[in-house]
Amino acid sequence: MSKYYSFEEQTQTEFSSEVSPFILAPLDDLSCMETTILTSGNLVTEATPVTNWLKKQRINVIDNRNEIKSAIDKFDSERRAEYNNVKNYFQNNIFNNKQENENRLVPTSIVALSAFLTGRIMCRKRFGWSSVGNPTSISTKLIKSLPSRIITPWVFACTTFAIGTPETWNNVTKVISERYIPTDVSETVKNTSNSIYNILIKAPIQNINQFSEVTLPEAVKQIRKNFIELLQVS
């Protein structure tokens, strides 16, 4: 139990055992018990070890909470900085063509995904002639082999992406070759791809251009000349 005193009583009266609050005798005899008066005039009796222990536990809880919050804030800050660095790197080094970003990137990505799925379907063992038990040709067996099932979908997707967004694709290949592939391997891959491009694409195009611009006009000119000479003879 506690006894209430006014502020005037606190300033004018010196407390003694006669005016102290009622406490059980065994507790009153303990040296760890302490009686204090609050500014409101309330006398409070407390066990000092218990109060100190609770205070220590409260401080520990607050410290732990602050440490955890600081660690979480630091983690969030580091992840946010890392995300911004990656975002800025991609914007500056890969997706730096404004026209492709606004007009081609999204539709090309969708078409590239469709090409990837098409490659997956084409290379399935249970697709086409093999699904009905008919004999398959060597080319079909080659397409449905394990390496082809792994590589073909990615070739379809990458080729579609390279045709739809050539600048972005060049940036991607440049970053990969410079950062993740050894120099000698990168040079070998580059030379091989250039050779394949020259043989399969560039040479036929040059032949077609030469035929349409040089060979065909000369042939037509010669035919007209021969036809005119034939008319003159007649």
Side-chain angles (χ1 to χ4, degrees):
M1 296 177 63
S2 298
K3 185 177 181 180
Y4 295 91
Y5 296 88
S6 64
F7 183 75
E8 290 76 8
E9 290 179 307
Q10 179 187 356
T11 56
Q12 298 176 3
T13 306
E14 183 177 354
F15 297 103
S16 62
S17 60
E18 288 80 13
V19 296
S20 61
F22 175 76
I23 305 175
L24 293 177
L27 296 179
D28 196 18
D29 294 337
L30 296 177
S31 60
C32 64
M33 300 300 294
E34 182 178 336
T35 301
T36 57
I37 187 168
L38 303 179
T39 56
S40 61
N42 293 340
L43 285 174
V44 178
T45 302
E46 61 180 350
T48 305
V50 176
T51 302
N52 294 336
W53 182 84
L54 292 175
K55 181 179 180 181
K56 182 178 180 180
Q57 297 305 316
R58 177 175 175 272
I59 293 175
N60 290 336
V61 170
I62 294 174
D63 291 341
N64 292 334
R65 181 260 182 190
N66 292 335
E67 290 179 1
I68 294 174
K69 186 177 183 300
S70 177
I72 293 175
D73 293 341
K74 181 180 179 181
F75 178 81
D76 291 341
S77 177
E78 291 176 351
R79 298 290 80 77
R80 193 179 301 109
E82 183 177 355
Y83 168 77
N84 291 331
N85 291 336
V86 173
K87 181 180 177 181
N88 293 332
Y89 179 83
F90 273 88
Q91 289 179 347
N92 296 330
N93 297 279
I94 297 179
F95 303 104
N96 53 13
N97 189 290
K98 184 177 180 180
Q99 181 180 3
E100 290 186 357
N101 293 341
E102 294 179 353
N103 302 323
R104 295 184 180 182
L105 185 59
V106 174
T108 301
S109 300
I110 296 174
V111 176
L113 177 61
S114 302
F116 178 85
L117 297 177
T118 301
R120 291 280 296 176
I121 294 173
M122 289 179 57
C123 296
R124 291 185 59 185
K125 287 185 176 181
R126 297 184 177 276
F127 179 78
W129 289 98
S130 60
S131 62
V132 294
N134 293 330
T136 58
S137 62
I138 297 177
S139 60
T140 303
K141 292 181 179 180
L142 181 63
I143 292 175
K144 296 181 182 300
S145 63
L146 180 60
S148 178
R149 293 202 304 271
I150 297 175
I151 297 175
T152 302
W154 290 106
V155 171
F156 282 15
C158 293
T159 303
T160 304
F161 198 84
I163 294 174
T165 54
E167 292 295 331
T168 303
W169 175 253
N170 290 335
N171 293 336
V172 171
T173 55
K174 181 179 178 181
V175 170
I176 293 176
S177 62
E178 291 181 354
R179 294 176 61 91
Y180 303 104
I181 299 179
T183 305
D184 52 347
V185 177
S186 177
E187 290 295 331
T188 303
V189 173
K190 184 178 180 180
N191 294 333
T192 303
S193 61
N194 289 336
S195 300
I196 295 175
Y197 174 79
N198 292 331
I199 294 173
L200 298 181
I201 298 178
K202 188 175 181 179
I205 291 177
Q206 289 179 347
N207 293 333
I208 292 174
N209 292 335
Q210 182 178 3
F211 174 79
S212 61
E213 296 177 2
V214 179
T215 305
L216 183 60
E218 290 292 335
V220 172
K221 181 179 179 180
Q222 186 65 34
I223 291 174
R224 290 178 60 187
K225 182 178 180 181
N226 295 336
F227 184 73
I228 291 175
E229 290 177 356
L230 180 62
L231 290 178
Q232 292 177 350
V233 173
S234 301

